[in-house]
Amino acid sequence: MNYDYEYFCKSAEYVKSIIKDTPDAAIILGSCLGDFADRIENPVVIEYKDIPNFLTSTVQSHAGKLIFGTIAGKKVLCMSGRFHHYEGYAFEQLTAPIRLFKLLGARVSVITNAAGGVNTSYKPGDVMVISDHIKLTGASPLCGKNIDEFGPRFFDVTDMYTKELREIALECAHGSSLTVHEGVYMYFTGPQFETPAEIRAARILGADAVGMSTVTEALTAAHCSMPLLGLSVITNMAAGVTSEKISHEEVGEVTGTISKQFGDYVEKIISRI
């Protein structure tokens, strides 16, 4: 498949024909965090499967819908459900969401995920504002022929998780019932959870949380110079941190208990950006 500029433009042209307006912010909702989409006022819903050259989510807890509307007085475009390498997608395909956001004119992207806690001071139900990430596995989503219309062949990622947006997120934590940290996210391809040995290595390398998403989207945002905020909900302690086994059901249980507080928190952030 030739993933050229025109390939991604076809997705954007279809979405533009339906939503008309330019979003102030674009949001990607991670595992079991889809309830936030219910907050969108006057929603316009587009099924992923109807968007030309877009991808479809195969994870049961991901709705697979693009929703446009208003939150906190801001026009937002929300992806309820995301895509992962473990679903069988090539890394190059995983550029699709952020490139769609860019072509639609979104000013910033907000990416959320469910993550395992590596930092032993964290606990399930906490939130981590991502300051940086570690990726030591797999190719880059920007491999292959560079698309100059999106960005340069070689690009800087020093401020990939935009400092200004991180500061806003940390300020918005004041008064929240959530415990909010700032830390480093480490990417693993999945779909298996990480081994205890991998988690010990992650901690030595400086990771505070681990997960199977976000990094491909963050790299794509950096390539096209899109400001980015990443938020991890700590849904469990990673393998070996406790004696408990890890399950996807546990992820859903924890996100369910803090769904309202997390939604309030994200909505407050959206109002500020």
Side-chain angles (χ1 to χ4, degrees):
M1 180 66 69
N2 182 23
Y3 301 114
D4 57 11
Y5 186 66
E6 287 70 28
Y7 177 90
F8 296 100
C9 283
K10 286 182 180 178
S11 299
E13 288 165 3
Y14 176 80
V15 175
K16 282 180 180 178
S17 72
I18 297 173
I19 67 171
K20 311 299 183 184
D21 294 318
T22 301
D24 295 306
I27 309 167
I28 298 177
L29 299 177
S31 294
C32 304
L33 298 171
D35 286 352
F36 182 77
D38 295 336
R39 294 172 177 256
I40 297 176
E41 299 172 3
N42 303 312
V44 176
V45 181
I46 305 172
E47 300 278 349
Y48 290 169
K49 62 182 178 61
D50 294 333
I51 304 173
N53 295 343
F54 208 57
L55 311 179
T56 56
S57 181
T58 65
V59 180
Q60 189 173 3
S61 59
H62 292 240
K65 296 177 181 180
L66 191 68
I67 306 166
F68 179 80
T70 304
I71 288 181
K74 301 291 179 69
K75 295 174 183 176
V76 299
L77 184 68
C78 181
M79 279 183 59
S80 184
R82 58 139 57 84
F83 316 114
H84 310 80
H85 180 59
Y86 65 71
E87 294 175 80
Y89 291 119
F91 281 105
E92 293 86 346
Q93 291 178 281
L94 298 176
T95 60
I98 297 296
R99 286 179 170 171
L100 174 62
F101 296 166
K102 182 71 173 181
L103 290 168
L104 293 175
R107 292 191 299 108
V108 301
S109 286
V110 178
I111 300 178
T112 73
N113 63 54
V118 175
N119 190 318
T120 55
S121 70
Y122 291 8
K123 66 182 187 301
D126 288 358
V127 174
M128 185 183 80
V129 177
I130 304 176
S131 60
D132 205 345
H133 76 235
I134 300 169
K135 173 185 173 297
L136 300 179
T137 182
S140 168
L142 285 310
C143 282
K145 188 179 186 299
N146 188 59
I147 302 178
D148 296 335
E149 291 89 342
F150 286 118
R153 168 80 290 180
F154 303 104
F155 56 100
D156 182 60
V157 293
T158 305
D159 193 33
M160 182 163 31
Y161 299 93
T162 310
K163 183 179 180 181
E164 180 183 3
L165 296 179
R166 295 188 341 245
E167 290 174 346
I168 289 172
L170 292 170
E171 289 170 4
C172 288
H174 298 315
S176 171
S177 61
L178 297 169
T179 299
V180 179
H181 312 272
E182 186 174 30
V184 175
Y185 179 90
M186 187 164 181
Y187 172 71
F188 287 83
T189 56
Q192 73 284 347
F193 292 108
E194 304 75 26
T195 69
E198 287 171 334
I199 295 305
R200 290 195 299 272
R203 187 179 298 114
I204 291 169
L205 290 171
D208 297 292
V210 295
M212 306 172 192
S213 67
T214 300
V215 166
T216 53
E217 297 143 340
L219 289 167
T220 306
H223 180 245
C224 66
S225 301
M226 175 171 280
L228 175 75
L229 175 66
L231 301 172
S232 293
V233 174
I234 306 302
T235 54
N236 57 275
M237 298 311 294
V241 179
T242 70
S243 60
E244 299 296 318
K245 287 190 175 182
I246 304 169
S247 70
H248 191 65
E249 289 72 25
E250 179 185 12
V251 171
E253 289 171 5
V254 172
T255 54
T257 60
I258 67 161
S259 176
K260 183 184 185 304
Q261 299 98 306
F262 184 69
D264 291 344
Y265 177 55
V266 175
E267 186 169 336
K268 187 176 180 181
I269 293 171
I270 294 298
S271 73
R272 293 275 309 274
I273 62 176

